[in-house]
Amino acid sequence: QKEVEQDPGPLSVPEGAIVSLNCTYSNSAFQYFMWYRQYSRKGPELLMYTYSSGNKEDGRFTAQVDKSSKYISLFIRDSQPSDSATYLCAMSSNYGQNFVFGPGTRLSVLP
Amino acid sequence: NAGVTQTPKFQVLKTGQSMTLQCAQDMNHNSMYWYRQDPGMGLRLIYYSASEGTTDKGEVPNGYNVSRLNKREFSLRLESAAPSQTSVYFCASSASRGYWRNQPQHFGDGTRLSIL
C-alpha cells in the first residue's frame, strides 16, 4: 500500500461544476497537509496548506482534513477551464518529517 | 521577482555522459530541494539542503551529487548518466522557519532530461 493515494483521473467536469479532489493516507502522524496545482510543463504551485484537522477556505478553493478517516479533500467551486491541471496533495508529520507527495489527479474543466 | 530558476529547460544526454543542473532562488530562502518526477511515481526527493554548506540525502540519491554553492544556488550533478535517470527534475525552495521548515514551498519549472 502506498503511503498517499490519489485517483489519477483524468477527471472531466463541465465549467461551473463543483470539483472534489481527494487523497487518502496511511500514516496517522501526518499533521501538515498541502495542495499544489501543476500545469502541463510547469512546476508545482502551492495552492493551499493546512495544519491538523478542519477546513480552510481561499476564494473558490476549500481544503478539508479528516484525520480520523485519514482523508483530505480539495473542493473547487465554480470551476473554470483555467483550473485544468494536475492537483498534487502532500503531507508530513512534524515540520517536514516524512514529507511525501501523492501521485496527482489530472483535472479537465470543459468550457 | 523570478522565484526559482532552473537551467537548462531541456537536455538530451548519452549514457555515461555527465552534466550539472543549475538552480537559483531569489527569495532569500535557506532550504532548497531537488526532486524528480516520473509518471505514476509522483515527486521524489533526491537531495535536500537546509542551509548553505549542508546537504542531506533524500529518497532516491543514488547516481546524483549536489552542491550548495551559496544561499541562492543549489546544483545537481549526474556523474555518469543512465537511462533510468530520464525524468523531469524540479528544484524547490522554502523558508526555514514556521510551517515551511523542511517542506518545499516554491518550485521552478523543471529540467526535462532524456538519457539515450
Side-chain angles (χ1 to χ4, degrees):
Chain A
Q1 181 190 8
K2 291 184 179 178
E3 200 164 18
V4 179
E5 303 210 35
Q6 280 185 267
D7 186 330
L11 175 63
S12 294
V13 301
E15 183 176 354
I18 296 174
V19 177
S20 172
L21 302 165
N22 310 299
C23 284
T24 58
Y25 62 94
S26 57
N27 188 342
S28 58
F30 286 149
Q31 301 182 75
Y32 297 83
F33 302 94
M34 288 135 273
W35 286 95
Y36 296 79
R37 177 176 62 196
Q38 185 175 21
Y39 291 116
S40 179
R41 299 193 165 277
K42 293 290 187 181
E45 170 194 4
L46 179 66
L47 205 55
M48 301 278 286
Y49 61 97
T50 59
Y51 173 75
S52 195
S53 289
N55 292 359
K56 183 176 181 180
E57 188 174 320
D58 184 0
R60 296 185 296 112
F61 299 91
T62 299
Q64 191 173 78
V65 175
D66 182 351
K67 290 184 69 179
S68 62
S69 301
K70 299 192 186 71
Y71 189 89
I72 68 170
S73 300
L74 178 71
F75 297 97
I76 307 174
R77 290 183 299 281
D78 187 25
S79 56
Q80 302 294 311
S82 58
D83 295 327
S84 298
T86 296
Y87 289 80
L88 308 167
C89 65
M91 52 198 74
S92 69
S93 48
N94 187 26
Y95 287 117
Q97 288 181 6
N98 306 310
F99 186 94
V100 62
F101 279 95
T105 298
R106 189 153 58 96
L107 171 68
S108 180
V109 181
L110 307 173
Chain B
N1 189 349
V4 179
T5 303
Q6 291 183 238
T7 56
K9 295 190 185 306
F10 305 95
Q11 186 70 47
V12 179
L13 293 177
K14 293 181 180 179
T15 297
Q17 288 185 316
S18 63
M19 85 161 291
T20 300
L21 281 60
Q22 306 287 353
C23 174
Q25 52 90 11
D26 62 2
M27 294 169 283
N28 201 36
H29 284 164
N30 282 319
S31 299
M32 296 186 75
Y33 315 75
W34 276 106
Y35 283 88
R36 60 178 289 174
Q37 187 174 37
D38 303 290
M41 301 289 288
L43 283 149
R44 294 180 292 169
L45 182 66
I46 305 171
Y47 269 95
Y48 161 66
S49 172
S51 62
E52 185 179 348
T54 68
T55 60
D56 288 293
K57 294 179 180 179
E59 181 185 355
V60 288
N62 290 345
Y64 305 97
N65 286 304
V66 290
S67 295
R68 184 72 184 268
L69 304 170
N70 48 55
K71 191 172 185 178
R72 289 187 66 246
E73 299 172 288
F74 188 35
S75 63
L76 178 71
R77 183 162 178 83
L78 286 70
E79 291 290 353
S80 180
S84 61
Q85 294 177 304
T86 293
S87 188
V88 183
Y89 292 85
F90 289 101
C91 178
S93 71
S94 68
S96 57
R97 59 186 182 278
Y99 188 101
W100 294 108
R101 196 164 74 196
N102 302 326
Q103 307 191 112
Q105 190 176 7
H106 298 280
F107 282 80
D109 280 338
T111 294
R112 281 156 183 81
L113 184 60
S114 291
I115 299 163
L116 307 177

